[in-house]
């Protein structure tokens, strides 16, 4: 038994937003545009959007304060704008952080209680969420196609919210908006897509054939393209390939979620400023090896077309993943390892893990 549910209209291509501009005129006359500090402008995406808004006389307000790993305070500040304006839709432009923030702001801003807690269970909170349109400027988080928003709570812990209402209604994928990413951002976001694709397929284990195909194709695109990155930064075909991989891997996690690999990485982003994709990648090979001890075929299926764990490891090695080391205290390692033992994702990750294994993961990346 399997299901497939992705209620997102995807339009891909150079200058796609101009080709499909009339779609932006369908949601109402007042938009909230959610972005980070610079990249929406730097990539050209914001300018393109505003040209269309001006043409259709769509009023807009720009909230450009989203930081990496967006905090709950930022979501609340964005949501407070709904007290002044009657927004019809949200356009989120940027990497995973502004896209996730745009989703959460669209939900909290339309809920009758502004001080509600989005992390509380229940879909009721999302029932008035206005349409969200996504314009990604990175290729990796997959937020442009997932029903998730990953936020940082008041205790500085990264936590996800999820609802069918958080799927963007439309994603405009223009690879030219990703040309301004430098080498390290390109690598970290590309590896985020690879971890999504593999982690989701580890759970699927071939049962859902659509997801299996998407995972395979996404792995292949990353394997074939995420090499000698510095030489390809301005190559639009390279950018398109990574954007395609991000979307496919995003569909994979929309169905199966991530694993303990993502959970282990969250504190590195929250407390050690690690880029999200790097925070996952430093644990990737070791967790896969551990799972392979009990179910080798499951791992080989999930990483294909990498033909072996050694091949995947040397791919990661060429991207210098083994060079990332962090200042970690004994207390942090103890606390984060305990959190992993108790995490929901542990129960959903195939394989045998205990606290000593988690400690060994953190010790290995210690400076
Ligand atoms: P990001 O956190 O959105 O952005 C990282 C940095 O990249 C920011 O400084 C940003 O600048 C810059 N940037 C973005 N686009 C750029 C471009 N085209 N050129 C130059 N710089 C650019 O990065 P991300 O890796 O895409 O997203 C990570 C976030 O997504 C994490 O919070 C993670 O938890 C979340 N995530 C969500 C999902 C999901 O399903 N919703 C899945 C995985 C990860 P500005 O600040 O100026 O924009
Ligand atoms: Fe991720």
């Amino acid at each position: 038994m399997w299901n497939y549910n992705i209620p997102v209209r995807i339009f891909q291509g150079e200058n796609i937003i101009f080709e499909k501009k009339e779609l932006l005129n369908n949601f109402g006359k007042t938009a909230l545009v959610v972005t980070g500090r610079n990249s929406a402008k730097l990539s050209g995406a914001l300018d393109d959007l505003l040209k269309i808004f001006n043409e259709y006389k769509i009023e807009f307000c720009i909230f450009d304060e989203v930081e990496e790993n967006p905090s709950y305070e930022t979501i609340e500040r964005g949501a407070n704008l709904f007290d002044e304006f009657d927004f019809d839709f949200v356009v989120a432009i940027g990497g995973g952080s502004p896209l996730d923030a745009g989703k959460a702001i669209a939900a909290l801003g339309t809920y009758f209680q502004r001080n509600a807690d989005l992390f509380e269970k229940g879909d009721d909170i999302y029932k008035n969420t206005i349409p969200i349109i996504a314009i990604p400027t990175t290729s990796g988080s997959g937020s442009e196609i997932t029903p998730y928003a990953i936020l940082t709570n008041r205790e500085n812990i990264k936590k996800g919210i999820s609802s069918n209402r958080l799927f963007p209604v439309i994603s405009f994928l223009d690879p030219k908006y990703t040309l301004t990413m430098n080498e390290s951002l390109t690598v970290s976001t590309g590896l985020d897509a690879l971890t999504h694709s593999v982690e989701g397929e580890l759970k699927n284990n071939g049962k859902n054939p659509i997801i299996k195909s998407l995972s395979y194709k996404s792995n292949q695109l990353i394997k074939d393209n995420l090499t000698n990155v510095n030489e390809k930064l301005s190559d639009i075909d390279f950018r398109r390939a990574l954007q395609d991989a991000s979307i496919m891997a995003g569909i994979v996690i929309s169905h199966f979620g991530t694993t303990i690999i993502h959970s282990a990485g969250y504190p590195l982003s929250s407390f050690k400023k690690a880029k999200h994709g790097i925070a996952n990648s430093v644990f990737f090979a070791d967790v896969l090896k551990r799972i392979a001890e009990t179910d080798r075929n499951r791992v080989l299926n999930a990483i294909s077309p990498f033909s072996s764990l050694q091949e995947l490891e040397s791919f990661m090695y060429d991207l210098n993943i083994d060079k990332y080391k962090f200042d970690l205290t004994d207390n942090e390692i103890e606390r984060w390892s305990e959190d992993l033992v108790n995490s929901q994702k542990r129960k959903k990750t195939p394989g045998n893990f205990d606290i000593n294994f988690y400690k060994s993961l953190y010790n290995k990346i210690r400076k």
Side-chain angles (χ1 to χ4, degrees):
M1 208 160 61
W2 55 268
N3 73 79
Y4 181 85
N5 173 39
I6 294 289
V8 183
R9 299 181 73 189
I10 308 167
F11 298 95
Q12 193 279 340
E14 273 181 82
N15 299 315
I16 192 66
I17 194 168
F18 293 111
E19 298 275 326
K20 294 287 168 194
K21 62 182 180 182
E22 71 285 354
L23 293 175
L24 284 163
N25 203 17
N26 286 338
F27 296 99
K29 284 293 173 196
T30 314
L32 173 62
V33 181
V34 177
T35 74
R37 290 260 173 227
N38 302 306
S39 61
K41 297 177 200 102
L42 192 72
S43 63
L46 182 62
D47 266 2
D48 288 354
L49 177 75
L50 297 190
K51 276 183 204 146
I52 297 168
F53 277 0
N54 288 332
E55 183 180 333
Y56 288 128
K57 302 198 170 20
I58 293 172
E59 307 270 328
F60 57 87
C61 173
I62 299 177
F63 179 71
D64 65 358
E65 297 171 24
V66 181
E67 72 281 39
E68 290 185 45
N69 308 300
S71 69
Y72 206 71
E73 287 77 11
T74 299
I75 305 309
E76 286 178 316
R77 260 186 293 123
N80 283 339
L81 292 169
F82 283 72
D83 293 339
E84 289 173 61
F85 303 95
D86 198 6
F87 296 119
D88 298 307
F89 62 111
V90 169
V91 182
I93 307 175
S97 297
L99 266 44
D100 285 358
K103 294 174 179 183
I105 290 169
L108 190 60
T110 49
Y111 194 61
F112 72 99
Q113 267 180 309
R114 197 52 43 75
N115 62 354
D117 183 355
L118 286 175
F119 298 112
E120 274 175 12
K121 294 240 175 296
D123 215 43
D124 190 48
I125 205 161
Y126 302 105
K127 71 172 188 265
N128 297 319
T129 303
I130 52 176
I132 300 148
I133 294 173
I135 307 180
T137 62
T138 63
S139 297
S141 82
S143 183
E144 64 274 15
I145 192 88
T146 71
Y148 312 127
I150 316 294
L151 310 173
T152 303
N153 74 9
R154 293 182 206 288
E155 284 77 49
N156 217 9
I157 310 278
K158 277 174 79 85
K159 267 184 110 169
I161 57 171
S162 168
S163 166
N164 268 326
R165 298 280 185 148
L166 296 180
F167 275 115
V169 288
I170 297 180
S171 281
F172 289 111
L173 309 182
D174 188 331
K176 86 173 182 222
Y177 298 148
T178 66
L179 284 168
T180 45
M181 282 197 286
N182 63 18
E183 182 180 10
S184 78
L185 187 60
T186 306
V187 169
S188 72
T189 49
L191 287 177
D192 191 23
L194 179 64
T195 54
H196 292 167
S197 168
V198 170
E199 289 179 60
E201 181 54 31
L202 273 173
K203 291 168 157 179
N204 178 39
N205 199 19
K207 290 196 184 70
N208 180 327
I210 300 178
I211 296 306
K212 170 63 205 162
S213 321
L214 292 171
S215 166
Y216 181 91
K217 184 65 187 171
S218 173
N219 290 350
Q220 184 172 53
L221 284 168
I222 308 255
K223 176 175 182 269
D224 293 348
N225 287 283
L226 206 63
T227 55
N228 306 317
V229 171
N230 203 29
E231 292 159 24
K232 300 190 272 195
L233 294 177
S234 50
D235 178 346
I236 197 79
D237 293 328
F238 165 72
R239 296 301 189 176
R240 186 180 305 110
L242 292 182
Q243 201 168 49
D244 290 351
S246 171
I247 276 282
M248 292 180 208
I251 297 174
V252 173
I253 55 165
S254 289
H255 289 80
F256 287 95
T258 55
T259 68
I260 205 77
I261 295 171
H262 260 65
S263 309
Y266 284 161
L268 293 183
S269 294
S270 300
F271 301 106
K272 306 292 165 182
K273 297 202 175 330
K275 290 241 173 281
H276 172 69
I278 298 300
N280 309 322
S281 300
V282 292
F283 303 120
F284 194 39
D286 286 328
V287 173
L288 292 176
K289 277 193 223 161
R290 178 73 168 211
I291 300 171
E293 286 169 15
T294 49
D295 197 344
R296 193 168 176 73
N297 286 340
R298 184 186 279 261
V299 173
L300 290 178
N301 162 63
I303 64 172
S304 62
F306 289 97
S307 58
S308 64
L309 272 169
Q310 289 91 311
E311 191 189 2
L312 178 65
E313 244 186 319
S314 83
F315 174 82
M316 306 288 284
Y317 187 82
D318 288 345
L319 293 170
N320 291 319
I321 293 309
D322 59 306
K323 303 269 179 353
Y324 287 90
K325 301 286 172 205
F326 301 87
D327 272 318
L328 306 180
T329 64
D330 289 342
N331 185 277
E332 283 169 335
I333 293 180
E334 190 70 36
R335 212 158 19 92
W336 299 349
S337 301
E338 268 167 32
D339 289 345
L340 288 174
V341 169
N342 299 320
S343 113
Q344 283 296 324
K345 291 243 169 85
R346 190 189 78 89
K347 295 177 194 117
K348 293 183 183 157
T349 307
N352 289 326
F353 304 94
D354 55 23
I355 192 152
N356 290 328
F357 174 67
Y358 297 130
K359 286 184 189 169
S360 73
L361 286 180
Y362 286 122
N363 273 315
K364 198 166 166 190
I365 56 153
R366 197 173 189 176
K367 251 184 202 159

